[in-house]
Structure formats: structure tokens, C-alpha cells
Amino acid sequence: VLGLPVRRLTLISFVLGGLVVGCGGVLLIAVQGSGVPGVGQSYLFAALAGAMLGATTIRPGRFNVLGTLTAVYFLAFTVNGLTLSGGPTWVNSAFDGAALIVAVGISVWSGSGPEGSVIMKERGSESNEMVGAESLVVSAEEEGLGSTDQLLDG
């Protein structure tokens, strides 16, 4: 059998991930002095913003370690700077939310998802092949099935 042992690598990845999360939980309990079930929810939004922003920085459309680290450091430094400059407490969540919106917007605009752009499949090339509803209407008009108004009226 050639190639990587995918099942073994997947198992090792989950085991190591669980070990790192467990160590993080122990450290969090050590810092706070008690275990509170809802304490991790405040970290979720920043983690999602970092991961999504990381997918748009280095290699757009692909989650990668270097992009995620760059995005997390950018978010951490910026939020820390806003906090140190005397910003209100809601600035952290607002900045993370704005970063998440920008990351998703860049991802959609650049067409870096698995299917490509929503607007045009190949932006920048000479082919103007449209995808989605526009292509259905254009192909229906080309086949003589009626105009757009006739299709919409039924």
C-alpha cells in the first residue's frame, strides 16, 4: 500500500488535539481558581475570526497554519492595543466581528471557495461564463424558450 496512513494520522491528530485542549483547560482552571462551564464561550468568537481571517491572508480559500497564525497575532495585537489605549470593553468583540465580516467578504469577493466566485467562475479571463440563475435565464433565451419576462410570468 502506497501513500500516507490516513486513518493513523487522523487518529493521532485527534489525540494530540485533545491533549492540547485538555492542557489548556487545566491551565485555565489554574488561572481562575475554579471550573466554570461557560468560561470558554468568550474565546470562541475570536478563534472563529482568526481562523476565517487566516484562510484569506496567505493562501486565499485554504485554511493554513501560517495564515491562521498571522491572523491570530494581528487580532491579538490590535485588540490589545485598543484595550491599552483606553477603549471600552465592547471594542474587543466589535473588532473581532468586523475582522470576521471582512474575512468572509474577501473570501466571497475573491471567489476562493471550492466552487469559485458567485458572480463569475473565472474572473479576469476572457471567458464570461456566468454561474447561477443568470446562466439559466441566458440559456433559456438562447434556446427560444422566451424572454426573461415571459419566464418570470409563468
Side-chain angles (χ1 to χ4, degrees):
V1 176
L2 299 174
L4 296 172
V6 175
R7 290 181 188 251
R8 185 172 7 149
L9 289 176
T10 303
L11 179 67
I12 290 171
S13 298
F14 278 114
V15 168
L16 289 177
L19 182 67
V20 169
V21 169
C23 291
V26 169
L27 290 175
L28 186 62
I29 289 174
V31 167
Q32 290 189 336
S34 65
V36 180
V39 74
Q41 293 176 356
S42 62
Y43 298 113
L44 180 63
F45 196 59
L48 286 175
M52 290 303 293
L53 191 60
T56 60
T57 53
I58 305 297
R59 290 175 44 195
R62 305 211 43 160
F63 291 104
N64 56 71
V65 175
L66 185 60
T68 302
L69 287 176
T70 304
V72 167
Y73 281 123
F74 169 73
L75 289 174
F77 286 138
T78 309
V79 168
N80 194 17
L82 290 171
T83 303
L84 290 175
S85 68
T89 57
W90 56 266
V91 170
N92 298 351
S93 296
F95 188 79
D96 288 341
L100 185 60
I101 290 171
V102 166
V104 170
I106 289 172
S107 178
V108 169
W109 179 76
S110 68
S112 57
E115 285 86 24
S117 178
V118 176
I119 298 168
M120 261 194 280
K121 189 180 266 186
E122 295 178 13
R123 186 171 39 100
S125 68
E126 294 181 14
S127 114
N128 287 329
E129 182 180 350
M130 292 180 284
V131 295
E134 293 96 4
S135 64
L136 293 175
V137 171
V138 170
S139 64
E141 288 178 356
E142 288 173 355
E143 292 177 12
L145 297 176
S147 68
T148 309
D149 296 330
Q150 292 173 343
L151 288 172
L152 294 176
D153 290 338

